[in-house]
Amino acid sequence: MKEEIPELYLENQLCFPLYAASRLTTKLYAPYLNELDITYPQYLVLMALWQHDSQSVKEIGNRLYLESNTLTPLLKRMEQKGLIQRTRSTSDERTVMISLTESGQDMKEKAKEIPHKLIESFGEGSVNEEELFNFQRALFKLVSTLNKRTV
Amino acid sequence: MKEEIPELYLENQLCFPLYAASRLTTKLYAPYLNELDITYPQYLVLMALWQHDSQSVKEIGNRLYLESNTLTPLLKRMEQKGLIQRTRSTSDERTVMISLTESGQDMKEKAKEIPHKLIESFGEGSVNEEELFNFQRALFKLVSTLNKRTV
DNA sequence: TAAGATTAAATCGTGCACGATACAAATATA
DNA sequence: TATATTTGTATCGTGCACGATTTAATCTTA
């Protein structure tokens, strides 16, 4: 017999809308990131470095919740594009320091328009400023809680 | 000179916590999905089919916001595992209908415990029921809006 | 009804994610 | 101070995502 299990409906999941929203948001960024010839994860790394230049792979990973298995190849691609520099630390030969090149720093100037453009292409009325702020707070709280649970 | 652009801080993004939350949530599911020998996207397809068996690739894609370039290989893997059947429709030779096998239907029985287990391993106090519900509503609203913007 | 447009899957190439493992450097401990 | 443990990167294999393109079937329209 067919048993109805509402707990298994897609509409009742939390994971599914997170998954969908993340992917759809990334798609919304695509046209602007394409202009800069970078991908979304690369944009995240740049944001981390624009905020605080010269971080180890580990530190960037802590910031983005990623590990070296994902970051190493990604950072190598960014190095190839001339956006960053990878240097093995002299004080601790295990760690690799990542720092922005001139080109990587300059990209910030072009990127700073992206957030505004995105709000424009998304917002179009219907979004309450305060509601959005609360939603963002809830999201970050969720991330923080999830991070504790998944260590 | 170093220009401070708060709009580019990771803490002020909406996309970044969505991306992080999505990935961390998927990680929380991993142990339970591993027991069933399925991946997270495969779990989503199963949920779609448990709710409504026998859908075309296109219909599943509309439900999950995915297209055939992602779904075709994914569904082929699920077919190999004996979870689903892929049959080309006779009425419209373009469409491929996806339906659950007996094994795919049976998995629902094992899966129905997952949502509860997840809330357990996550919840541990600190989560307001109503707050969570509102957050979920906001998430789905966001997905719906994003979907309109990215067509 | 024949030519053009649209639609549904599939294929291809690139870039993530991530578990598992390897390896060397640094740290802790006997 | 040897030995064991931990730590930071890197490597490997698998499975998504997704833009671009292809192919075949269906639908439109002149």
Side-chain angles (χ1 to χ4, degrees):
Chain A
M1 61 159 250
K2 266 192 182 178
E3 199 184 348
E4 294 296 333
I5 318 268
E7 290 88 347
L8 288 176
Y9 293 175
L10 283 170
E11 302 83 44
N12 295 335
Q13 306 303 310
L14 204 62
C15 57
F16 169 58
L18 281 171
Y19 161 85
S22 172
R23 288 174 37 242
L24 291 172
T25 308
T26 302
K27 246 180 219 178
L28 212 59
Y29 277 84
Y32 309 114
L33 299 182
N34 282 343
E35 279 181 40
L36 304 183
D37 189 33
I38 55 175
T39 66
Y40 181 71
Q42 289 170 17
Y43 178 57
L44 292 181
V45 169
L46 286 175
M47 282 200 284
L49 291 171
W50 287 331
Q51 237 179 309
H52 181 353
D53 199 356
S54 193
Q55 296 184 57
S56 70
V57 173
K58 188 76 183 174
E59 286 168 326
I60 294 176
N62 286 339
R63 201 90 170 83
L64 305 182
Y65 309 101
L66 289 169
E67 288 168 51
S68 67
N69 52 3
T70 300
L71 282 175
T72 298
L74 194 156
L75 293 169
K76 280 186 179 173
R77 280 186 288 270
M78 294 181 72
E79 187 183 33
Q80 293 250 315
K81 288 184 187 174
L83 295 173
I84 60 162
Q85 226 173 353
R86 296 166 61 248
T87 333
R88 205 160 273 275
S89 163
T90 45
S91 62
D92 185 339
E93 290 278 348
R94 290 172 304 179
T95 80
V96 171
M97 296 305 292
I98 308 296
S99 50
L100 291 163
T101 61
E102 189 117 352
S103 161
Q105 283 168 24
D106 292 350
M107 194 169 277
K108 187 177 178 182
E109 284 304 304
K110 300 172 201 159
K112 71 178 179 186
E113 302 302 334
I114 295 183
H116 179 253
K117 284 181 192 167
L118 215 85
I119 291 166
E120 233 176 19
S121 79
F122 168 72
E124 291 298 304
S126 85
V127 255
N128 180 340
E129 187 81 15
E130 191 190 341
E131 210 174 50
L132 194 74
F133 187 70
N134 287 333
F135 179 68
Q136 193 189 44
R137 268 178 56 87
L139 253 181
F140 272 108
K141 190 180 160 192
L142 175 66
V143 169
S144 161
T145 310
L146 281 168
N147 190 43
K148 285 171 198 153
R149 296 287 182 279
T150 52
V151 164
Chain B
M1 60 158 250
K2 267 194 184 178
E3 198 183 348
E4 295 296 332
I5 318 266
E7 289 88 346
L8 287 177
Y9 293 175
L10 283 170
E11 302 83 44
N12 295 335
Q13 306 303 310
L14 204 61
C15 57
F16 169 58
L18 280 172
Y19 161 85
S22 171
R23 287 174 37 242
L24 292 172
T25 308
T26 302
K27 248 181 217 178
L28 212 58
Y29 276 84
Y32 308 115
L33 299 182
N34 282 343
E35 279 181 40
L36 305 183
D37 189 34
I38 55 175
T39 66
Y40 182 70
Q42 289 170 16
Y43 178 57
L44 293 180
V45 169
L46 286 176
M47 282 200 284
L49 291 172
W50 287 331
Q51 238 179 310
H52 182 355
D53 199 355
S54 193
Q55 296 185 57
S56 70
V57 174
K58 188 75 182 177
E59 286 168 327
I60 294 176
N62 286 339
R63 200 92 170 81
L64 305 183
Y65 309 102
L66 289 171
E67 288 168 51
S68 66
N69 53 2
T70 299
L71 283 174
T72 297
L74 194 157
L75 293 170
K76 280 186 181 176
R77 281 187 287 270
M78 294 180 73
E79 187 184 32
Q80 293 249 315
K81 289 185 187 175
L83 295 173
I84 60 162
Q85 226 173 354
R86 297 165 63 247
T87 333
R88 205 160 272 277
S89 163
T90 44
S91 63
D92 186 340
E93 290 278 348
R94 289 172 304 180
T95 80
V96 170
M97 297 303 294
I98 308 295
S99 50
L100 292 163
T101 60
E102 190 117 351
S103 161
Q105 284 169 24
D106 292 351
M107 195 170 275
K108 188 178 177 182
E109 284 304 305
K110 301 172 200 158
K112 71 178 179 185
E113 302 302 333
I114 295 183
H116 180 253
K117 284 181 190 166
L118 215 85
I119 290 167
E120 233 176 20
S121 79
F122 169 71
E124 290 300 303
S126 86
V127 254
N128 180 338
E129 187 80 12
E130 190 190 341
E131 210 174 51
L132 195 72
F133 187 71
N134 287 333
F135 180 68
Q136 193 189 43
R137 268 178 55 87
L139 253 181
F140 272 109
K141 189 180 161 193
L142 175 65
V143 169
S144 160
T145 310
L146 281 168
N147 190 43
K148 285 171 198 151
R149 296 288 183 277
T150 51
V151 165

